Amino acid sequence: MEPLDVNNYRNLLKEYIESEDETFLYQADQFSKLSIQHNISPEEIINVHIQALEELYPDLPKEINLSMNFLLETMISYGLAYQEFQSLREKQGEIESEISVAANMQKTLLSTTKPEIKGMDIGAISVPAHQMNGDYHHFVIDSSNNLGIAIADVIGKGVPAALAMSMIKYSLDSFPDSLRTPDVILENLNRVVERNVDTSMFITMFYGLLNPETGLLQFSSAGHEPGFYYCSKKDEFFEIKTKGIVLGVSENATYEQFDIQMEAGDMVILLTDGVTECRIGNRFIEPDEMLNVIRKYMHLPAQEAVELAYRHFERLQDFHLRDDFTLIFLKK
């Protein structure tokens, strides 16, 4: 049957009305599918139906004719809305495909290798809430075998955030060893961000420099979520106190540097606000609750510990992350 063939449609309609044979409903279904293939709109089908009815039953009551005209007008609006919906769905599919490609590129561009360092046990996990990750972490080893640890969070998401993070990573890798103290690192990165990143986007960042032999951790923060230091001797957690404005706000920002002397059994916990702002029902998790989760797993190897901690926080949120989640354990 050719689409919109009035004669065939009229005969099909007549056969069904007179026989009530469901075979003709199947043929109507085929007619509908064929019409979709030929981009026939709903109102065109309704119009053919009206013509067929008028030819079969020229003396139909006025009310029936008016109701069919009413249906025709309704279908015209529906057809236009449906066409717009289909167009938007196609565009959405294209965007999702592009984001998927960008997300894979981001994983490649921002990939970092967790180092194996004698005397240190390191665990790191970073899970995006959506396809693109607004969190970032990176490990850098200098010529003296000191370990640089960066953890950052972009205030702003999607592809622009990923591009900003890529710029941060490659800037970090390009700095000479003479400029690798945390305060100088953040001052230089701040100038890079301030000059090259849109004014609506800011980046929080913690940068630490660890001497594995002495256990000295020097660090500075650019408005980043404070981490925690676990002192094994006292069996206590202490919040890592820092000061510093987020990257990209002021060209002349400076950053204060602090020290932690790590001893055997001590641990430093670095994180993003996807951890501290974990929600249980309608409330944020309390710091003590969060540290209890960390304490539950911290006796394990660091990588296993961060992965189990993540799964614990994920369960607390009914397996629905509201923000990107990054957690790093540094155990001496």
Side-chain angles (χ1 to χ4, degrees):
M1 180 188 296
E2 291 296 325
L4 294 183
D5 185 326
V6 178
N7 291 330
N8 282 340
Y9 186 90
R10 182 190 62 229
N11 293 335
L12 181 63
L13 179 62
K14 181 181 178 182
E15 292 284 353
Y16 174 68
I17 292 173
E18 291 179 351
S19 68
E20 299 184 29
D21 186 344
E22 292 190 0
T23 303
F24 296 109
L25 290 180
Y26 171 77
Q27 292 184 43
D29 179 60
Q30 297 302 108
F31 175 90
S32 179
K33 291 177 180 176
L34 194 59
S35 296
I36 290 173
Q37 292 174 11
H38 288 78
N39 294 319
I40 304 302
S41 64
E43 66 268 21
E44 290 178 86
I45 296 176
I46 297 295
N47 196 42
V48 168
H49 186 84
I50 292 172
Q51 291 179 52
L53 272 181
E54 288 175 345
E55 292 177 13
L56 289 171
Y57 308 104
D59 297 326
L60 277 176
K62 176 184 176 183
E63 290 80 4
I64 298 296
N65 288 325
L66 289 174
S67 71
M68 295 306 297
N69 288 332
F70 183 87
L71 178 61
L72 178 60
E73 289 299 319
T74 302
M75 286 296 100
I76 289 173
S77 298
Y78 171 85
L80 292 172
Y82 185 72
Q83 287 176 5
E84 184 177 357
F85 168 76
Q86 288 290 84
S87 176
L88 289 173
R89 192 162 70 171
E90 288 174 7
K91 289 178 182 177
Q92 182 183 19
E94 292 172 3
I95 292 171
E96 288 176 352
S97 176
E98 291 175 2
I99 290 176
S100 179
V101 171
N104 288 329
M105 288 180 62
Q106 182 194 36
K107 288 178 183 177
T108 302
L109 289 171
L110 300 185
S111 62
T112 188
T113 301
K114 189 183 69 172
E116 298 291 335
I117 297 178
K118 185 178 179 180
M120 296 299 301
D121 185 13
I122 301 171
I125 187 169
S126 187
V127 182
H130 305 290
Q131 280 185 285
M132 304 296 291
N133 198 342
D135 286 357
Y136 163 71
H137 71 284
H138 188 40
F139 298 103
V140 183
I141 296 179
D142 66 18
S143 58
S144 300
N145 286 323
N146 294 316
L147 173 64
I149 312 109
I151 182 169
D153 187 0
V154 179
I155 303 171
K157 303 297 179 187
V159 175
L163 293 173
M165 284 306 191
S166 299
M167 182 180 63
I168 288 288
K169 177 185 176 181
Y170 289 101
S171 296
L172 269 177
D173 288 339
S174 68
F175 292 150
D177 288 352
S178 60
L179 297 178
R180 286 206 171 275
T181 58
D183 55 345
V184 175
I185 284 278
L186 291 187
E187 286 173 18
N188 280 284
L189 286 177
N190 177 67
R191 284 191 285 272
V192 170
V193 173
E194 198 275 334
R195 292 171 185 170
N196 297 285
V197 176
D198 187 90
T199 54
S200 65
M201 186 182 299
F202 304 109
I203 299 171
T204 72
M205 187 170 186
F206 177 101
Y207 191 85
L209 185 66
L210 175 68
N211 183 323
E213 291 186 9
T214 65
L216 179 65
L217 176 67
Q218 300 171 295
F219 60 90
S220 296
S221 175
H224 193 74
E225 195 76 18
F228 294 89
Y229 164 58
Y230 172 74
C231 177
S232 177
K233 187 179 294 184
K234 296 182 179 179
D235 190 26
E236 286 184 53
F237 287 96
F238 299 92
E239 186 176 72
I240 295 175
K241 302 290 186 180
T242 57
K243 299 177 182 177
I245 192 170
V246 298
L247 301 178
V249 173
S250 171
E251 182 180 7
N252 299 315
T254 58
Y255 297 90
E256 193 173 351
Q257 185 167 294
F258 303 87
D259 296 342
I260 289 176
Q261 182 59 56
M262 298 182 70
E263 305 294 341
D266 290 356
M267 182 168 73
V268 168
I269 298 103
L270 304 177
L271 38 74
T272 57
D273 57 11
V275 182
T276 56
E277 295 181 4
C278 167
R279 283 182 177 271
I280 303 176
N282 294 321
R283 69 177 180 86
F284 289 122
I285 192 171
E286 296 291 337
D288 287 347
E289 293 175 292
M290 180 185 65
L291 291 175
N292 284 339
V293 174
I294 290 172
R295 184 182 286 275
K296 180 178 179 180
Y297 300 110
M298 69 183 194
H299 65 283
L300 299 168
Q303 189 59 40
E304 184 181 352
V306 293
E307 290 174 5
L308 287 172
Y310 162 69
R311 293 192 191 112
H312 191 111
F313 286 117
E314 187 184 35
R315 284 195 303 272
L316 289 179
Q317 299 180 90
D318 294 325
F319 301 93
H320 177 67
L321 293 183
R322 292 173 174 83
D323 197 1
D324 306 316
F325 181 106
T326 301
L327 183 62
I328 297 174
F329 286 177
L330 303 171
K331 297 172 68 177
K332 181 169 172 58

